[in-house]
Amino acid sequence: MNAEWAGSLRRTAIAKSQVAGPVDVGRLGVAGDEVADTENHGGVYQAVYAFAREDLDVWSDRLGKRLPDGMFGENLTTEGIDVNEAVIGERWRIGTTVLQVASVRIPCVVFQNYLRENGFEGDRWVRRFTEEARPGPYLQVVEEGRLGARDAIDVVHRPGHGVTVASMFKAFTTERDLLPAMLDAGDDLIPPAREAAEAYVGRA
């Protein structure tokens, strides 16, 4: 959508619509989805974004209005799994698709403005979301396929290094001293995150 409040680009693809049937999921994401700011969003390491219904319910209470599925721009609204305690490199089979936990969503002003435009109190939203440290993961597509609403999430692989979505988020936002620990993820750490962690270690 085009919008004056959507940053310097004046356009955003944060608004998501629910679909009734199965959808194709390819290397770069869900069929029919769009990415407006391709410099900061999208690509193979941010192909699919997941956010928990349980976390939406928490924010609904705090914001005083129910947040519908997809309100945070997520492609998948999950239930029954703590996506923020998922381990980097963890793999989920959903339908015939296999997705791998790759990175974390860092909030931006467009996200904040989108909430305000939809009638939610958005003041200091970036800070509030950051302090909560429950951002939801970006997922890489390991096996293309199809998935649909109510498909089960089957965790088919969970690395033992212990680097979680929540800890990665803190390392890149409020607790930079956690960056060296990101290297414990080994080959599961995507190149941009590895470069940032190694640069921090080098400076330290």
Side-chain angles (χ1 to χ4, degrees):
M1 71 171 70
N2 294 320
E4 287 299 311
W5 48 263
S8 60
L9 291 178
R10 299 294 189 265
R11 65 180 185 274
T12 177
I14 193 172
K16 306 299 180 188
S17 300
Q18 296 183 43
V19 294
V23 293
D24 293 323
V25 181
R27 178 173 171 270
L28 294 178
V30 178
D33 193 18
E34 295 180 356
V35 177
D37 182 0
T38 55
E39 182 176 345
N40 296 299
H41 300 287
V44 294
Y45 301 125
Q46 297 183 5
V48 178
Y49 177 48
F51 201 84
R53 179 66 252 175
E54 292 85 351
D55 289 330
L56 286 173
D57 289 340
V58 170
W59 283 115
S60 295
D61 289 341
R62 293 179 184 174
L63 296 173
K65 183 179 176 182
R66 187 179 188 278
L67 291 158
D69 293 350
M71 187 65 207
F72 282 4
E74 72 270 18
N75 305 109
L76 300 177
T77 306
T78 67
E79 288 185 345
I81 180 172
D82 189 344
V83 297
N84 297 291
E85 287 303 308
V87 174
I88 302 302
E90 185 171 308
R91 292 188 177 187
W92 304 346
R93 182 177 295 279
I94 310 176
T96 61
T97 304
V98 176
L99 306 172
Q100 179 167 303
V101 176
S103 187
V104 295
R105 190 255 192 90
I106 305 296
C108 63
V109 173
V110 173
F111 184 19
Q112 177 170 286
N113 292 345
Y114 180 67
L115 282 183
R116 185 181 295 113
E117 288 295 310
N118 281 273
F120 294 92
E121 188 277 311
D123 291 343
R124 298 180 294 106
W125 174 249
V126 169
R127 180 176 178 179
R128 291 180 69 183
F129 188 87
T130 300
E131 289 174 345
E132 190 70 19
R134 298 188 62 80
Y138 278 123
L139 305 164
Q140 181 178 358
V141 179
V142 177
E143 293 182 19
E144 298 180 339
R146 288 170 66 80
L147 59 78
R150 315 314 304 177
D151 281 347
I153 299 174
D154 183 15
V155 179
V156 296
H157 172 66
R158 185 177 175 88
H161 52 69
V163 178
T164 65
V165 169
S167 60
M168 175 181 272
F169 181 79
K170 291 175 185 177
F172 284 103
T173 55
T174 59
E175 300 180 39
R176 303 284 288 180
D177 59 332
L178 293 178
L179 276 169
M182 294 298 98
L183 297 174
D184 291 343
D187 292 340
D188 292 319
L189 197 64
I190 62 173
R194 173 176 298 282
E195 291 166 8
E198 289 177 340
Y200 181 89
V201 170
R203 288 194 298 271

